[in-house]
mmCIF file of all heavy atoms in Angstrom:
data_model
loop_
_atom_site.group_PDB
_atom_site.id
_atom_site.type_symbol
_atom_site.label_atom_id
_atom_site.label_comp_id
_atom_site.label_asym_id
_atom_site.label_seq_id
_atom_site.Cartn_x
_atom_site.Cartn_y
_atom_site.Cartn_z
ATOM 1 N N VAL A 868 5.674 -8.751 6.647
ATOM 2 C CA VAL A 868 6.984 -9.373 6.376
ATOM 3 C C VAL A 868 8.093 -8.321 6.426
ATOM 4 O O VAL A 868 9.240 -8.626 6.770
ATOM 5 C CB VAL A 868 6.973 -10.089 5.009
ATOM 6 C CG1 VAL A 868 8.371 -10.472 4.559
ATOM 7 C CG2 VAL A 868 6.095 -11.339 5.088
ATOM 8 N N VAL A 869 7.759 -7.079 6.123
ATOM 9 C CA VAL A 869 8.752 -6.007 6.202
ATOM 10 C C VAL A 869 8.585 -5.184 7.477
ATOM 11 O O VAL A 869 9.573 -4.750 8.074
ATOM 12 C CB VAL A 869 8.651 -5.084 4.962
ATOM 13 C CG1 VAL A 869 9.610 -3.905 5.067
ATOM 14 C CG2 VAL A 869 8.958 -5.888 3.700
ATOM 15 N N SER A 870 7.346 -4.979 7.921
ATOM 16 C CA SER A 870 7.122 -3.985 8.978
ATOM 17 C C SER A 870 7.091 -4.556 10.394
ATOM 18 O O SER A 870 7.150 -3.786 11.354
ATOM 19 C CB SER A 870 5.809 -3.241 8.719
ATOM 20 O OG SER A 870 4.710 -4.143 8.754
ATOM 21 N N ALA A 871 7.015 -5.863 10.546
ATOM 22 C CA ALA A 871 6.944 -6.424 11.909
ATOM 23 C C ALA A 871 8.344 -6.560 12.498
ATOM 24 O O ALA A 871 9.305 -6.827 11.779
ATOM 25 C CB ALA A 871 6.253 -7.789 11.879
ATOM 26 N N PRO A 872 8.464 -6.423 13.819
ATOM 27 C CA PRO A 872 9.783 -6.594 14.445
ATOM 28 C C PRO A 872 10.170 -8.073 14.438
ATOM 29 O O PRO A 872 9.296 -8.942 14.375
ATOM 30 C CB PRO A 872 9.537 -6.102 15.870
ATOM 31 C CG PRO A 872 8.095 -6.414 16.123
ATOM 32 C CD PRO A 872 7.396 -6.194 14.803
ATOM 33 N N GLY A 873 11.475 -8.324 14.489
ATOM 34 C CA GLY A 873 11.915 -9.721 14.439
ATOM 35 C C GLY A 873 11.299 -10.399 13.235
ATOM 36 O O GLY A 873 10.714 -11.489 13.327
ATOM 37 N N ALA A 874 11.388 -9.757 12.071
ATOM 38 C CA ALA A 874 10.573 -10.122 10.910
ATOM 39 C C ALA A 874 10.829 -11.545 10.413
ATOM 40 O O ALA A 874 9.930 -12.164 9.833
ATOM 41 C CB ALA A 874 10.814 -9.123 9.779
ATOM 42 N N ALA A 875 12.019 -12.058 10.642
ATOM 43 C CA ALA A 875 12.283 -13.421 10.169
ATOM 44 C C ALA A 875 11.385 -14.418 10.892
ATOM 45 O O ALA A 875 10.869 -15.371 10.283
ATOM 46 C CB ALA A 875 13.757 -13.773 10.382
ATOM 47 N N ALA A 876 11.184 -14.209 12.200
ATOM 48 C CA ALA A 876 10.307 -15.107 12.963
ATOM 49 C C ALA A 876 8.869 -14.974 12.475
ATOM 50 O O ALA A 876 8.147 -15.977 12.338
ATOM 51 C CB ALA A 876 10.399 -14.781 14.455
ATOM 52 N N VAL A 877 8.441 -13.754 12.179
ATOM 53 C CA VAL A 877 7.074 -13.550 11.674
ATOM 54 C C VAL A 877 6.916 -14.229 10.316
ATOM 55 O O VAL A 877 5.899 -14.890 10.048
ATOM 56 C CB VAL A 877 6.770 -12.037 11.586
ATOM 57 C CG1 VAL A 877 5.490 -11.781 10.815
ATOM 58 C CG2 VAL A 877 6.697 -11.442 12.991
ATOM 59 N N GLU A 878 7.925 -14.077 9.480
ATOM 60 C CA GLU A 878 7.861 -14.695 8.148
ATOM 61 C C GLU A 878 7.712 -16.211 8.279
ATOM 62 O O GLU A 878 6.918 -16.834 7.555
ATOM 63 C CB GLU A 878 9.127 -14.331 7.375
ATOM 64 C CG GLU A 878 9.080 -14.726 5.930
ATOM 65 C CD GLU A 878 10.312 -14.238 5.158
ATOM 66 O OE1 GLU A 878 10.916 -13.218 5.533
ATOM 67 O OE2 GLU A 878 10.656 -14.902 4.172
ATOM 68 N N SER A 879 8.429 -16.810 9.202
ATOM 69 C CA SER A 879 8.333 -18.274 9.335
ATOM 70 C C SER A 879 6.949 -18.679 9.840
ATOM 71 O O SER A 879 6.427 -19.732 9.467
ATOM 72 C CB SER A 879 9.436 -18.820 10.239
ATOM 73 O OG SER A 879 9.145 -18.561 11.580
ATOM 74 N N ARG A 880 6.321 -17.837 10.681
ATOM 75 C CA ARG A 880 4.952 -18.161 11.130
ATOM 76 C C ARG A 880 3.970 -18.065 9.957
ATOM 77 O O ARG A 880 3.051 -18.869 9.848
ATOM 78 C CB ARG A 880 4.497 -17.230 12.248
ATOM 79 C CG ARG A 880 5.243 -17.233 13.565
ATOM 80 C CD ARG A 880 5.750 -18.564 14.062
ATOM 81 N NE ARG A 880 4.854 -19.673 13.883
ATOM 82 C CZ ARG A 880 5.227 -20.937 13.734
ATOM 83 N NH1 ARG A 880 6.512 -21.266 13.734
ATOM 84 N NH2 ARG A 880 4.348 -21.892 13.575
ATOM 85 N N LEU A 881 4.145 -17.071 9.106
ATOM 86 C CA LEU A 881 3.250 -16.941 7.949
ATOM 87 C C LEU A 881 3.377 -18.160 7.037
ATOM 88 O O LEU A 881 2.390 -18.648 6.472
ATOM 89 C CB LEU A 881 3.573 -15.665 7.173
ATOM 90 C CG LEU A 881 3.243 -14.346 7.885
ATOM 91 C CD1 LEU A 881 3.851 -13.158 7.140
ATOM 92 C CD2 LEU A 881 1.731 -14.151 8.025
ATOM 93 N N ARG A 882 4.591 -18.649 6.895
ATOM 94 C CA ARG A 882 4.807 -19.828 6.035
ATOM 95 C C ARG A 882 4.164 -21.078 6.635
ATOM 96 O O ARG A 882 3.924 -22.057 5.930
ATOM 97 C CB ARG A 882 6.315 -20.067 5.844
ATOM 98 C CG ARG A 882 7.014 -19.030 4.992
ATOM 99 C CD ARG A 882 8.487 -19.399 4.802
ATOM 100 N NE ARG A 882 9.248 -18.319 4.207
ATOM 101 C CZ ARG A 882 9.294 -18.058 2.901
ATOM 102 N NH1 ARG A 882 8.630 -18.830 2.057
ATOM 103 N NH2 ARG A 882 10.013 -17.054 2.435
ATOM 104 N N ALA A 883 3.915 -21.071 7.958
ATOM 105 C CA ALA A 883 3.366 -22.257 8.616
ATOM 106 C C ALA A 883 1.843 -22.335 8.524
ATOM 107 O O ALA A 883 1.247 -23.305 8.987
ATOM 108 C CB ALA A 883 3.791 -22.255 10.090
ATOM 109 N N LEU A 884 1.205 -21.317 7.945
ATOM 110 C CA LEU A 884 -0.256 -21.282 7.902
ATOM 111 C C LEU A 884 -0.825 -22.282 6.887
ATOM 112 O O LEU A 884 -0.210 -22.570 5.858
ATOM 113 C CB LEU A 884 -0.725 -19.873 7.517
ATOM 114 C CG LEU A 884 -0.568 -18.789 8.583
ATOM 115 C CD1 LEU A 884 -0.767 -17.406 7.962
ATOM 116 C CD2 LEU A 884 -1.553 -19.024 9.724
ATOM 117 N N ASP A 885 -2.048 -22.722 7.154
ATOM 118 C CA ASP A 885 -2.783 -23.512 6.159
ATOM 119 C C ASP A 885 -3.358 -22.603 5.078
ATOM 120 O O ASP A 885 -3.546 -23.028 3.932
ATOM 121 C CB ASP A 885 -3.945 -24.265 6.823
ATOM 122 C CG ASP A 885 -3.458 -25.329 7.794
ATOM 123 O OD1 ASP A 885 -2.257 -25.659 7.741
ATOM 124 O OD2 ASP A 885 -4.271 -25.805 8.602
ATOM 125 N N LEU A 886 -3.684 -21.374 5.455
ATOM 126 C CA LEU A 886 -4.302 -20.443 4.500
ATOM 127 C C LEU A 886 -3.835 -19.027 4.810
ATOM 128 O O LEU A 886 -4.070 -18.514 5.911
ATOM 129 C CB LEU A 886 -5.835 -20.493 4.612
ATOM 130 C CG LEU A 886 -6.600 -19.488 3.740
ATOM 131 C CD1 LEU A 886 -6.483 -19.857 2.257
ATOM 132 C CD2 LEU A 886 -8.073 -19.413 4.154
#
Side-chain angles (χ1 to χ4, degrees):
V868 167
V869 176
S870 62
V877 169
E878 189 175 332
S879 76
R880 297 323 319 152
L881 292 169
R882 290 183 191 278
L884 288 167
D885 294 346
L886 176 70

